[in-house]
Amino acid sequence: MSIPLVLVLAIVVVVAVRFLKLRLWMALVCTVFGFLLAATALAPDVDRGLRALWSWLTGS
């Protein structure tokens, strides 16, 4: 990946807040949820799932 996934997701959140009427508090709740999820035992499974999805989307 040339662009980190975090940067892509940040752009998606900014677009959603500006154009899709996503409330800022909703974006913050999702951010906190992601931060807390990363500290759980489920984090490696989420990481593997995201890597598999990325591999499937890019065909590599």
Side-chain angles (χ1 to χ4, degrees), residues 8-28:
V8 173
L9 291 175
I11 292 169
V12 169
V13 168
V14 168
V15 168
V17 168
R18 287 190 133 198
F19 300 110
L20 300 177
K21 305 297 184 201
L22 177 72
R23 303 278 187 223
L24 185 58
W25 71 267
M26 293 176 191
L28 291 174

Side-chain angles (χ1 to χ4, degrees), residues 13-50:
V13 168
V14 168
V15 168
V17 168
R18 287 190 133 198
F19 300 110
L20 300 177
K21 305 297 184 201
L22 177 72
R23 303 278 187 223
L24 185 58
W25 71 267
M26 293 176 191
L28 291 174
V29 166
C30 291
T31 301
V32 170
F33 175 71
F35 180 76
L36 294 174
L37 183 63
T40 67
L42 193 59
D45 294 328
V46 172
D47 185 51
R48 277 193 295 275
L50 287 174

